[in-house]
Amino acid sequence: MYLKRKIDDVLNNWHLQEDRLPLVIKGCRQVGKTESIRHFAASHYESFIEINFSEDPKYKSIIEDGYSARDIIKNISLLNPSFKFIEGKTLIFFDELQVFPEIATSLKFFKQDGRFDVICSGSLLGINYQRIESNSVGYKQDIIMRPLDFEEFLWAKGYDDEVVEDLYSHMIEGKALSKVFNDTFYSLFMDFTILGGMPAVVRQYIEKDTFENSLALQHALINDFKEDIQKYVQGMDKTRILNIFKHIPVQLSKEQKKFQISKVENGARYRDYRGGIEWLENAGIVNICYCLNSLELPLNGNYDENALKLYLADTGLLVSLLDEEAQDDLRANRNLNVYKGALYENVVADALVKSGYNLFYYKRQNPSIEEDFFLRTANELVPLEVKASNDKARSLSKLIQSDNYPEIKFGIKLVKGNIGVDSNILTFPHFCAFLLKRLLKDKRLYNLIKI
């Protein structure tokens, strides 16, 4: 069963480019990279050459005569004469690039040769990415692939684009959803939160129509991540990265969700753990949310790199790390509140990152102001508050009403409730998060607010 993915359109559009560059597709392990590339190749190429450097390390010898396309193709043919290199109709796929980053040097020469298309893919590519970047500038196109988002999950459940368009039309008009629509989508959203977006987990759930064995699959993925840390990280950093990873669920469960290095190790300093946090981000395992220094545009560069929250890049994997009591309550009763709102924040952070956003939050003691996330339009700074139920958003109201923040004209509140608009606060159900970027680019948005 193939799961339709958004990268399908990315690959199709890449193939339409006459002067296309070799692709490098990055992402955490088991996110569906190889499956999507195979699916794409089957409908676009007469010949597909797949080389997996992890499963078949003998292919590391293909660069012994140099990095030219001609020499590499000659050596591949020596190792496997059944491969057919048809000019203009062949895709060469180098998989598990992190095992053999040296092959990326050949991308320049494949581009200059021009006879064959090339895609490289790797898990945990951030480990070796610096080694290939300087040799490939201008001769490759980078793509990040992440786990399924909620829209892709809807596709897997059989919903088409018409349903999503119906949801969006209600959002842009500020019109409440029908009870049957809202209840149905909340049920789907709960399932998605528990499962996450790892393809193996979603596929089994779709095929069996049950959560049976999903937890075991999630635990296996977590163990794979830990094994990769053991395999690819050297020295003291290995212990530090494992400690950071272990403490993410614990610290998210606290009222103060800022990630505190002092809770990981007594006397620990951020500068000692900085590299470990960035490693986990580059590996596609965590999403980092930085605290803004001030509430003004631009966002990038306007933050404290030592004040941050860490979210797991897949909420289903976070759920799998909860204690047994929380697991039972969540799976049996769909009660996300058992983890003090951390799951709501994590799944929204996940949706924002998959939409292409960087994550920022803000916290100030006097006067007390705290906002979970910040987005932007061309001219406005947009605070986003995530509520477990549908409580009042006091900080959000303060920011909108204050003259101290001229770039904040309206805000967004995600709740367990329905769509509504009041005092320049746009309220949406949590499951609408994947559509927020589209909403903020839509000029009709200003029909809902008063500026």
Side-chain angles (χ1 to χ4, degrees):
M1 174 188 178
Y2 180 72
L3 298 176
K4 178 184 174 184
R5 304 297 303 274
K6 291 183 176 179
I7 200 172
D8 297 343
D9 286 339
V10 174
L11 291 171
N12 290 335
N13 290 335
W14 172 75
H15 188 261
L16 292 173
Q17 300 172 21
E18 292 186 6
D19 193 30
R20 51 188 171 272
L21 297 171
L23 279 182
V24 177
I25 301 179
K26 302 180 286 183
C28 68
R29 64 151 64 232
Q30 302 298 322
V31 79
K33 301 182 297 295
T34 299
E35 184 180 26
S36 293
I37 293 165
R38 288 173 178 167
H39 179 78
F40 162 72
S43 59
H44 289 81
Y45 294 91
E46 190 172 327
S47 179
F48 179 50
I49 312 296
E50 179 177 347
I51 295 174
N52 186 307
F53 292 113
S54 179
E55 294 179 359
D56 212 341
K58 70 182 181 184
Y59 284 102
K60 292 181 180 180
S61 65
I62 61 178
I63 62 170
E64 286 184 355
D65 296 322
Y67 290 97
S68 74
R70 189 172 301 277
D71 287 336
I72 288 175
I73 290 167
K74 177 190 70 175
N75 286 331
I76 292 174
S77 296
L78 286 172
L79 292 170
N80 190 337
S82 69
F83 283 149
K84 304 300 180 185
F85 291 88
I86 306 169
E87 292 187 20
K89 299 179 180 180
T90 299
L91 175 63
I92 303 172
F93 175 33
F94 295 123
D95 202 4
E96 300 293 350
L97 184 58
Q98 80 281 354
V99 175
F100 191 55
E102 290 82 0
I103 194 63
T105 304
S106 71
L107 298 182
K108 173 181 178 180
F109 302 101
F110 273 106
K111 176 66 180 79
Q112 292 173 340
D113 181 274
R115 291 178 294 159
F116 311 103
D117 289 342
V118 179
I119 296 179
C120 299
S121 173
S123 302
L124 301 170
L125 194 55
I127 305 162
N128 290 312
Y129 197 60
Q130 294 301 321
R131 295 172 58 187
I132 70 171
E133 194 167 50
S134 60
N135 293 327
S136 309
V137 174
Y139 294 96
K140 64 181 177 62
Q141 178 182 347
D142 292 315
I143 295 174
I144 297 176
M145 187 174 180
R146 306 184 189 278
L148 281 81
D149 67 9
F150 185 56
E151 185 172 16
E152 291 171 314
F153 179 77
L154 291 174
W155 293 342
K157 288 287 291 182
Y159 292 93
D160 58 21
D161 293 339
E162 185 176 338
V163 177
V164 174
E165 289 306 310
D166 186 22
L167 171 60
Y168 183 73
S169 69
H170 281 73
M171 291 176 66
I172 198 63
E173 294 171 11
K175 180 182 176 183
L177 298 163
S178 69
K179 187 177 187 303
V180 64
F181 192 113
N182 203 31
D183 290 349
T184 299
F185 263 55
Y186 252 113
S187 179
L188 291 164
F189 176 73
M190 291 296 103
D191 288 354
F192 174 69
T193 301
I194 294 168
L195 292 163
M198 301 303 283
V201 179
V202 174
R203 183 179 295 108
Q204 180 175 257
Y205 161 79
I206 297 297
E207 291 175 346
K208 294 189 175 184
D209 196 26
T210 175
F211 289 117
E212 179 186 352
N213 204 40
S214 63
L215 183 58
L217 280 174
Q218 290 167 332
H219 283 165
L221 288 167
I222 292 291
N223 288 333
D224 286 343
F225 287 150
K226 291 179 179 179
E227 287 178 12
D228 283 336
I229 293 170
Q230 295 282 1
K231 181 178 180 180
Y232 291 108
V233 182
Q234 304 298 320
M236 180 65 71
D237 283 343
K238 184 182 302 184
T239 301
R240 288 173 177 165
I241 290 172
L242 286 169
N243 281 341
I244 293 168
F245 182 77
K246 181 177 67 176
H247 278 81
I248 292 173
V250 178
Q251 297 210 28
L252 278 179
S253 69
K254 307 299 182 185
E255 198 68 35
Q256 161 63 276
K257 294 181 177 64
K258 175 186 173 183
F259 194 81
Q260 297 175 288
I261 293 296
S262 61
K263 302 295 184 183
V264 176
E265 179 185 355
N266 289 333
R269 297 170 296 183
Y270 263 104
R271 67 184 184 186
D272 296 326
Y273 277 81
R274 181 84 241 167
I277 292 172
E278 291 176 351
W279 189 96
L280 287 167
E281 182 186 38
N282 290 335
I285 297 173
V286 304
N287 294 321
I288 303 176
C289 184
Y290 291 103
C291 185
L292 291 172
N293 290 320
S294 59
L295 295 182
E296 59 185 358
L297 297 174
L299 297 174
N300 290 325
N302 175 27
Y303 61 86
D304 182 352
E305 65 177 11
N306 294 321
L308 52 86
K309 298 178 185 179
L310 288 183
Y311 300 103
L312 279 186
D314 184 80
T315 306
L317 297 184
L318 174 61
V319 168
S320 74
L321 295 172
L322 304 184
D323 56 78
E324 290 186 11
E325 291 77 15
Q327 282 271 356
D328 292 342
D329 191 12
L330 181 56
R331 292 175 186 272
N333 303 316
R334 303 293 196 273
N335 180 18
L336 289 188
N337 296 343
V338 296
Y339 226 56
K340 300 183 178 178
L343 294 177
Y344 283 113
E345 278 193 37
N346 201 98
V347 76
V348 171
D350 177 38
L352 296 178
V353 170
K354 288 172 180 173
S355 297
Y357 282 113
N358 295 321
L359 301 180
F360 301 100
Y361 75 101
Y362 185 75
K363 184 176 178 63
R364 192 176 73 176
Q365 296 296 338
N366 189 21
S368 178
I369 295 177
E370 182 173 3
E371 282 301 337
D372 301 315
F373 303 105
F374 281 85
L375 311 178
R376 66 167 299 173
T377 65
N379 301 306
E380 291 98 24
L381 180 61
V382 184
L384 169 60
E385 193 158 328
V386 182
K387 298 298 231 180
S389 54
N390 196 0
D391 302 331
K392 290 184 177 180
R394 292 183 175 83
S395 290
L396 198 54
S397 297
K398 286 181 184 178
L399 293 176
I400 295 170
Q401 295 168 7
S402 175
D403 294 331
N404 295 326
Y405 311 107
E407 290 173 318
I408 297 177
K409 308 288 178 52
F410 66 97
I412 297 172
K413 184 172 66 167
L414 296 181
V415 304
K416 187 174 183 179
N418 212 317
I419 295 174
V421 183
D422 183 37
S423 301
N424 276 11
I425 295 178
L426 310 179
T427 300
F428 303 110
H430 299 106
F431 56 74
C432 294
F434 76 98
L435 288 168
L436 290 181
K437 189 166 190 177
R438 178 180 172 183
L439 181 83
L440 293 180
K441 289 183 176 181
D442 196 324
K443 292 182 179 179
R444 292 177 293 170
L445 169 69
Y446 295 95
N447 296 328
L448 300 176
I449 55 181
K450 299 176 182 178
I451 296 181

